[in-house]
Amino acid sequence: MEVIASVNKLRLKFPGAESLLFKDFSLSIRKGEKVLIVGSSGSGKSTLLQVLTGLIPSSVEVPMKVENIKIPLSWGFVFQDPESQFCMPYVDEEIAFVLENLQIPHDQMPSYISYYLKQVGLSFDDMHTKTQILSGGMKQRLAIAAVLALESDVLFLDEPTAMLDPEGTEEVWNTIKEVGEDKTLVIVEHKINHVVDFVDRVIILSDNGEIVADGSKQEVFEQYKHVLIDQGIWYPDAWKDYLLANGKPRPQSTGWDSNSAITLTDFTGFRGKNKKIEIKNVDVFPGEWITVLGKNGAGKSTLLHAMMDLIKTKGVYTIFGQDAKKINKLSDYAAFVFQNPEFQFVTNSVYDEVAFTLRLEKWNLDKVSNKVEELLEFYFLKNHEHSHPYQLSMGQKRRLSVAAATVKGQPILLLDEPTFGQDAKNTFAILEQIEYLRSQGTIVIMVTHDLNIVEHFSTRVWVIDQGELTIDCSSSEYTKGMHKVVG
Amino acid sequence: MQLDFSFRETWLHKINPSFKFILIVALFIHILFIHNINIIINYMIGTAILYILFTGHPWKRLLIISIPFILIFLTSSTSMIFFGKGEVTWFKWGLIHITEEGFFRGLHLGFRGLVFATLGIIFALTTRPVYLFYSLMQQLKLKPKYAYSFMAAVRLIPIMFEELQTIRYALKVRGVQSQKGILGFYHLLKSYSIPMLSQSIRRAHRIAVAMEAKRFSDTTKRTYYYLVGFSKLDVYLLIYFVVVIGTSYYFANSYSYFPIQDVRYNN
């Protein structure tokens, strides 16, 4: 079959990097193929897509050399971050932007716009809707619609669902499946559960930019499973294999103080003047791992914000018998880990980041350095202590954020989707570290969408629906109910 | 945080943005040459009518927006009133020297500031940035490169507000309690500006790449989703200001509030 995109002997190096990212790299993609490219973060997957589309070097200036390159005549590119690929504030204007670029006459635009929106299954009463109010899944589908408007035969998808919840992820992959049927697809992804059904060729890249495996998906998944595990790819059986390899029992929260550590009674949290979360009455005990589940916008993060006193609250909230409102520094009792780790970094090096809170507390120097060394060791960050936090990989940033937040050994740990966007290896590493803290008696309250965590790590489940706590039960009860519903 | 300024669309919203822009700049320049306090007061009434009745925004919002106007009025007039030159002394105490001439000149300056502010805010409240840039591209031949960069930047503003709040939360969570004094302010500035800048630069770069991936280019021709043209309303706005200025001059001569023709100080 006809080759639609190819590179031959590609050499590419990022300025400042020590070695070449690609050295004599060759790849060709034939018309109609559905190709999945996997590899650990930093293996150059996204860079490869940008080279194959000519975005490197024309839009992103990176020094590269290539003997032969074939760029598809017409291609479309869907990026990872739904927020930063739009340039217009309204749905219709975003697609119109593409149509303008292609010089489609003004009077034909509205019908084109509704046509493309329909293709990705989006319908609005008024196409002139703000993109800001769309969910992540809808935003990515809009991005796909804009790409379809280019009328291209080849679609390049760079982890289009990395920032979406499970519901949005499914929406987006279903859309891609539908619109991509007669197109060539080149997909980079590390959560491959949804993708495996419809790709026919799988390529694994190694950390130093070489092709480890390239073949039909059956072949690759059978023969190179160890590589997938090693690279932290979310292949369909990742959880099963992890559990088998570790023989992990479900954690038990017994054996701890039976006095409740946190009590919430008629506890409400407000954003502005609106009541966004209400908890009638709960007690939380040391050594519990509570996963907070619920749809997007149900109020899960708001609950954590309320418990951290970041927003206005009313009602009874006691921590170890003290009224939380009278505690001068709540951060002495509770640690908080944000969804985006970058937002909580306040210093310029990994070491300073961990030491930051201790220095604020005026610990003496020896004690600070001992504690910091210990934590850096525990979170595998020892080799990076002098790096700037922003220079770390996704997984390292996440571990640093947990290390820095928990440095004072607070008895309560609040986490907002800590495994979000993490590869399998990092996810398991961070879960194990949280589990260690829990086994020492820390209370873990964690917002997540991942039901595997509920089943295998947490001890208790809270389900939030429209700002109210609707289910509060043990994880085993919850998963039992879940299996009943499913099968 | 949602920044939502819903409003009722009025005829002012439908005026060609480039025309509105040029007209208001011209009015700004003209105002500088008005030295008769009676004219400027009438002028102010004329613009205030436009602001209150035709911007289409709710009363409450208009009222809130006018708070800084009062501030502009007070600051620009008081300094002239207190320290301005003049011959007829009303009050003298130390450095403060209030004279009749200085007083009226101060009032005049205050009203001038008000007219400036009102005209500017009328423009801001009745012009959607997207239409403005489409119009600038179509009528004034602004390069699409600049127009679309600005439109993309406008889109980022609400996202930046969200980020600001996140950083505020993060600092609180980490136990940062704001320090006092200049050093404290410096630390505060640093802890907000560096993450926000780095995020903004990264986001801007990503959007630029995404735009080029959608075949945006400065060299080829393009069509427009919004065709912004001229209409009768543009003429109405022009007539409105001709009438306002005309009557301002007329009434200033026949029914003046103060018996002063020129507030400038002449020896």
Side-chain angles (χ1 to χ4, degrees), chain A residues 390, chain B residues 160 163 167 189-190 192-204:
Chain A
Y390 284 10
Chain B
M160 287 181 67
E163 272 177 16
I167 297 172
L189 200 68
K190 212 172 86 172
Y192 277 91
S193 55
I194 292 176
M196 291 209 35
L197 270 176
S198 78
Q199 284 287 350
S200 299
I201 292 169
R202 217 173 314 175
R203 194 167 284 132

mmCIF file of all heavy atoms in Angstrom, chain A residues 390, chain B residues 160 163 167 189-190 192-204:
data_model
loop_
_atom_site.group_PDB
_atom_site.id
_atom_site.type_symbol
_atom_site.label_atom_id
_atom_site.label_comp_id
_atom_site.label_asym_id
_atom_site.label_seq_id
_atom_site.Cartn_x
_atom_site.Cartn_y
_atom_site.Cartn_z
ATOM 1 N N TYR A 390 10.170 22.401 38.053
ATOM 2 C CA TYR A 390 9.501 22.358 36.750
ATOM 3 C C TYR A 390 10.214 21.475 35.746
ATOM 4 O O TYR A 390 9.657 21.097 34.727
ATOM 5 C CB TYR A 390 9.363 23.771 36.167
ATOM 6 C CG TYR A 390 8.271 24.600 36.796
ATOM 7 C CD1 TYR A 390 7.621 24.165 37.939
ATOM 8 C CD2 TYR A 390 7.887 25.803 36.242
ATOM 9 C CE1 TYR A 390 6.631 24.922 38.527
ATOM 10 C CE2 TYR A 390 6.888 26.573 36.827
ATOM 11 C CZ TYR A 390 6.270 26.119 37.971
ATOM 12 O OH TYR A 390 5.281 26.872 38.535
ATOM 13 N N MET B 160 -6.423 32.716 33.438
ATOM 14 C CA MET B 160 -5.426 33.246 34.356
ATOM 15 C C MET B 160 -6.025 33.557 35.722
ATOM 16 O O MET B 160 -5.375 33.374 36.746
ATOM 17 C CB MET B 160 -4.771 34.487 33.765
ATOM 18 C CG MET B 160 -3.830 34.126 32.637
ATOM 19 S SD MET B 160 -3.029 35.552 31.924
ATOM 20 C CE MET B 160 -2.019 36.079 33.287
ATOM 21 N N GLU B 163 -6.052 30.416 37.618
ATOM 22 C CA GLU B 163 -4.708 30.076 38.083
ATOM 23 C C GLU B 163 -4.326 30.881 39.306
ATOM 24 O O GLU B 163 -3.726 30.359 40.249
ATOM 25 C CB GLU B 163 -3.691 30.346 36.969
ATOM 26 C CG GLU B 163 -3.516 29.167 36.067
ATOM 27 C CD GLU B 163 -2.564 29.470 34.937
ATOM 28 O OE1 GLU B 163 -1.819 30.459 35.012
ATOM 29 O OE2 GLU B 163 -2.566 28.710 33.983
ATOM 30 N N ILE B 167 -3.076 29.349 42.880
ATOM 31 C CA ILE B 167 -1.810 29.658 43.543
ATOM 32 C C ILE B 167 -2.063 30.181 44.957
ATOM 33 O O ILE B 167 -1.356 29.845 45.893
ATOM 34 C CB ILE B 167 -1.006 30.683 42.713
ATOM 35 C CG1 ILE B 167 -0.647 30.070 41.366
ATOM 36 C CG2 ILE B 167 0.260 31.094 43.440
ATOM 37 C CD1 ILE B 167 -0.032 31.034 40.396
ATOM 38 N N LEU B 189 4.952 38.802 45.367
ATOM 39 C CA LEU B 189 4.975 39.044 43.932
ATOM 40 C C LEU B 189 5.685 37.895 43.225
ATOM 41 O O LEU B 189 5.244 37.400 42.196
ATOM 42 C CB LEU B 189 5.715 40.355 43.676
ATOM 43 C CG LEU B 189 5.436 41.019 42.332
ATOM 44 C CD1 LEU B 189 4.006 41.510 42.310
ATOM 45 C CD2 LEU B 189 6.388 42.190 42.132
ATOM 46 N N LYS B 190 6.797 37.453 43.837
ATOM 47 C CA LYS B 190 7.586 36.401 43.217
ATOM 48 C C LYS B 190 6.805 35.092 43.197
ATOM 49 O O LYS B 190 6.791 34.384 42.200
ATOM 50 C CB LYS B 190 8.900 36.230 43.996
ATOM 51 C CG LYS B 190 10.033 35.800 43.101
ATOM 52 C CD LYS B 190 11.361 35.818 43.824
ATOM 53 C CE LYS B 190 11.585 34.520 44.558
ATOM 54 N NZ LYS B 190 12.927 34.398 45.114
ATOM 55 N N TYR B 192 3.694 34.622 43.075
ATOM 56 C CA TYR B 192 2.585 34.604 42.123
ATOM 57 C C TYR B 192 3.075 34.682 40.686
ATOM 58 O O TYR B 192 2.608 33.989 39.812
ATOM 59 C CB TYR B 192 1.626 35.773 42.375
ATOM 60 C CG TYR B 192 0.635 35.500 43.467
ATOM 61 C CD1 TYR B 192 0.906 35.841 44.774
ATOM 62 C CD2 TYR B 192 -0.577 34.895 43.184
ATOM 63 C CE1 TYR B 192 0.000 35.587 45.792
ATOM 64 C CE2 TYR B 192 -1.491 34.635 44.182
ATOM 65 C CZ TYR B 192 -1.203 34.982 45.478
ATOM 66 O OH TYR B 192 -2.097 34.722 46.469
ATOM 67 N N SER B 193 4.041 35.586 40.460
ATOM 68 C CA SER B 193 4.339 35.908 39.066
ATOM 69 C C SER B 193 5.101 34.806 38.348
ATOM 70 O O SER B 193 4.842 34.546 37.184
ATOM 71 C CB SER B 193 5.107 37.219 38.982
ATOM 72 O OG SER B 193 6.254 37.138 39.785
ATOM 73 N N ILE B 194 6.007 34.103 39.034
ATOM 74 C CA ILE B 194 6.810 33.116 38.311
ATOM 75 C C ILE B 194 5.976 31.940 37.802
ATOM 76 O O ILE B 194 6.010 31.638 36.619
ATOM 77 C CB ILE B 194 8.028 32.682 39.143
ATOM 78 C CG1 ILE B 194 8.976 33.876 39.237
ATOM 79 C CG2 ILE B 194 8.738 31.489 38.506
ATOM 80 C CD1 ILE B 194 10.170 33.671 40.095
ATOM 81 N N PRO B 195 5.170 31.298 38.672
ATOM 82 C CA PRO B 195 4.344 30.232 38.102
ATOM 83 C C PRO B 195 3.374 30.734 37.035
ATOM 84 O O PRO B 195 3.154 30.072 36.024
ATOM 85 C CB PRO B 195 3.576 29.671 39.298
ATOM 86 C CG PRO B 195 3.991 30.414 40.484
ATOM 87 C CD PRO B 195 5.034 31.393 40.128
ATOM 88 N N MET B 196 2.818 31.928 37.235
ATOM 89 C CA MET B 196 1.850 32.409 36.247
ATOM 90 C C MET B 196 2.524 32.709 34.920
ATOM 91 O O MET B 196 1.995 32.392 33.863
ATOM 92 C CB MET B 196 1.125 33.648 36.769
ATOM 93 C CG MET B 196 0.236 33.258 37.900
ATOM 94 S SD MET B 196 -1.235 34.193 38.183
ATOM 95 C CE MET B 196 -1.833 34.691 36.665
ATOM 96 N N LEU B 197 3.707 33.306 34.996
ATOM 97 C CA LEU B 197 4.432 33.602 33.762
ATOM 98 C C LEU B 197 4.808 32.321 33.036
ATOM 99 O O LEU B 197 4.614 32.193 31.828
ATOM 100 C CB LEU B 197 5.699 34.387 34.075
ATOM 101 C CG LEU B 197 5.557 35.902 34.094
ATOM 102 C CD1 LEU B 197 6.863 36.531 34.520
ATOM 103 C CD2 LEU B 197 5.163 36.388 32.713
ATOM 104 N N SER B 198 5.334 31.360 33.793
ATOM 105 C CA SER B 198 5.797 30.142 33.127
ATOM 106 C C SER B 198 4.631 29.404 32.484
ATOM 107 O O SER B 198 4.731 28.905 31.371
ATOM 108 C CB SER B 198 6.548 29.243 34.099
ATOM 109 O OG SER B 198 5.645 28.551 34.913
ATOM 110 N N GLN B 199 3.498 29.384 33.182
ATOM 111 C CA GLN B 199 2.326 28.742 32.598
ATOM 112 C C GLN B 199 1.867 29.500 31.355
ATOM 113 O O GLN B 199 1.490 28.889 30.359
ATOM 114 C CB GLN B 199 1.167 28.702 33.607
ATOM 115 C CG GLN B 199 1.321 27.664 34.692
ATOM 116 C CD GLN B 199 1.099 26.264 34.199
ATOM 117 O OE1 GLN B 199 0.655 26.049 33.070
ATOM 118 N NE2 GLN B 199 1.417 25.275 35.012
ATOM 119 N N SER B 200 1.879 30.806 31.430
ATOM 120 C CA SER B 200 1.379 31.599 30.307
ATOM 121 C C SER B 200 2.255 31.431 29.077
ATOM 122 O O SER B 200 1.750 31.303 27.965
ATOM 123 C CB SER B 200 1.328 33.077 30.674
ATOM 124 O OG SER B 200 0.460 33.255 31.749
ATOM 125 N N ILE B 201 3.570 31.417 29.308
ATOM 126 C CA ILE B 201 4.471 31.268 28.170
ATOM 127 C C ILE B 201 4.249 29.920 27.511
ATOM 128 O O ILE B 201 4.131 29.797 26.297
ATOM 129 C CB ILE B 201 5.939 31.407 28.627
ATOM 130 C CG1 ILE B 201 6.204 32.844 29.064
ATOM 131 C CG2 ILE B 201 6.891 30.998 27.523
ATOM 132 C CD1 ILE B 201 7.524 33.037 29.762
ATOM 133 N N ARG B 202 4.145 28.888 28.365
ATOM 134 C CA ARG B 202 3.938 27.552 27.814
ATOM 135 C C ARG B 202 2.615 27.474 27.037
ATOM 136 O O ARG B 202 2.549 26.932 25.950
ATOM 137 C CB ARG B 202 3.910 26.548 28.964
ATOM 138 C CG ARG B 202 4.560 25.256 28.599
ATOM 139 C CD ARG B 202 4.687 24.354 29.764
ATOM 140 N NE ARG B 202 5.207 25.072 30.935
ATOM 141 C CZ ARG B 202 5.321 24.498 32.124
ATOM 142 N NH1 ARG B 202 4.948 23.246 32.274
ATOM 143 N NH2 ARG B 202 5.798 25.149 33.145
ATOM 144 N N ARG B 203 1.574 28.073 27.643
ATOM 145 C CA ARG B 203 0.270 27.996 26.999
ATOM 146 C C ARG B 203 0.270 28.766 25.672
ATOM 147 O O ARG B 203 -0.270 28.301 24.679
ATOM 148 C CB ARG B 203 -0.796 28.531 27.952
ATOM 149 C CG ARG B 203 -2.171 28.176 27.511
ATOM 150 C CD ARG B 203 -3.202 28.417 28.587
ATOM 151 N NE ARG B 203 -3.195 27.415 29.624
ATOM 152 C CZ ARG B 203 -3.193 27.679 30.923
ATOM 153 N NH1 ARG B 203 -3.163 28.919 31.343
ATOM 154 N NH2 ARG B 203 -3.225 26.706 31.800
ATOM 155 N N ALA B 204 0.904 29.922 25.687
ATOM 156 C CA ALA B 204 0.943 30.732 24.472
ATOM 157 C C ALA B 204 1.658 29.967 23.354
ATOM 158 O O ALA B 204 1.212 29.954 22.208
ATOM 159 C CB ALA B 204 1.668 32.048 24.749
#
